[in-house]
Amino acid sequence: MTRRELAEALAPAAGEEAELEAKFLLEASRDEIWLRQAISRRLAGEPLQYILGEWEFMGLPFEVGPAALIPRQDTETLCEAALGWLQDRPGAAVLDLCCGSGCIGVSLGRLAGARVAFSDVSPQALALAERNARRNGVEGRFFESDLLTHVPGVYDLIACNPPYLTGAEMKSCQRELTYEPALALYGGEDGLDFYRRLAAGWQAYVAIGGRLLMEIGASQGAAVCRLFPGATVLKDIRGLDRVVCVERK
Ligand code: GLN
């Protein structure tokens, strides 16, 4: 007899105690069903974060789902660099470009008091970012835009984690990664498409003295710096190239 059958058998029995017992058993059986489903989803390769539906980034809670990448520790390198620069610039205007879940912009809004705008080509990702901003008490502006094409305004800082995996990386990636949107991962055959497009037009969107911070793949430092003369590379906690920083002259 399953817990559910037992609970159903007990339910009609007279007395408050039996009713309480039935309620407890029904709740336990709901947990059991959830756990069974969670285990089979995980065994099929689905990332734990999507199963839980939320994940922590920079110490803040984020809703996660298949509309956007799961926030990664790699990206905390970019956030730390941005927080350092924003420290003595309260109220700075920040754009989280290719925002996905919104984890970068929400963190900068919440932890540095920045005025944040979010943009993404995917309306589903943008809606997720909006929910995450609300959840963390961050007010933002939201633009549906293919890179900078429909973003208005000029910013003190653009923070961007664009898709940067190469064609070969997409083919050889682990099973978990196939659950995440390819749109957010694939950066063209050599992984550099979005840096090339940004290099062609970012300066019109950043105030003089402002910064463009981009996350990169660990082997892309030199190639991305060639696209942005004067850029510097920052390393992540594993000592790998992870962020390219450019000043707007
Ligand atoms: N760092 C991610 C990964 O390796 C890729 C993120 C991205 O393309 N922006 O899965």
Side-chain angles (χ1 to χ4, degrees), residues 6-130:
L6 183 60
E8 277 159 8
L10 274 175
E16 216 173 288
E17 216 172 295
E19 218 172 283
L20 279 177
E21 179 77 347
K23 225 165 134 193
F24 170 80
L25 285 167
L26 274 173
E27 264 162 33
S29 101
R30 264 196 297 277
D31 289 349
E32 202 174 291
I33 290 166
W34 184 86
L35 196 61
R36 271 182 211 286
Q37 283 169 348
I39 291 169
S40 65
R41 285 168 70 182
R42 187 66 197 99
L43 287 174
E46 188 170 347
L48 176 66
Q49 293 89 334
Y50 283 162
I51 298 168
L52 296 174
E54 62 173 44
W55 200 243
E56 199 184 274
F57 178 81
M58 296 297 288
L60 301 171
F62 287 89
E63 177 187 332
V64 296
L69 289 192
I70 296 160
R72 288 160 162 70
Q73 197 177 19
D74 288 343
T75 306
E76 296 194 346
T77 305
L78 187 154
C79 284
E80 299 288 359
L83 286 176
W85 191 78
L86 290 168
Q87 210 165 28
D88 27 67
R89 294 175 176 85
V94 171
L95 172 66
D96 180 354
L97 181 63
C98 309
C99 67
S101 67
C103 64
I104 297 173
V106 169
S107 303
L108 301 182
R110 186 65 205 250
L111 304 174
R115 289 179 292 129
V116 190
F118 299 81
S119 82
D120 203 283
V121 70
S122 151
Q124 291 81 13
L126 208 56
L128 178 64
E130 212 165 343

Side-chain angles (χ1 to χ4, degrees), residues 95 97 148 155-160 202 205-206 211-213:
L95 172 66
L97 181 63
L148 288 160
Y155 300 86
D156 298 304
L157 172 74
I158 294 182
C160 180
W202 71 280
Y205 297 84
V206 179
R211 294 281 190 280
L212 168 65
L213 285 175

Side-chain angles (χ1 to χ4, degrees), residues 69 72 74 161-165 177 180 184-186 215 242:
L69 289 192
R72 288 160 162 70
D74 288 343
N161 177 15
Y164 57 68
L165 296 193
L177 214 59
E180 293 186 274
L185 290 166
Y186 181 52
E215 181 168 311
R242 187 57 61 201

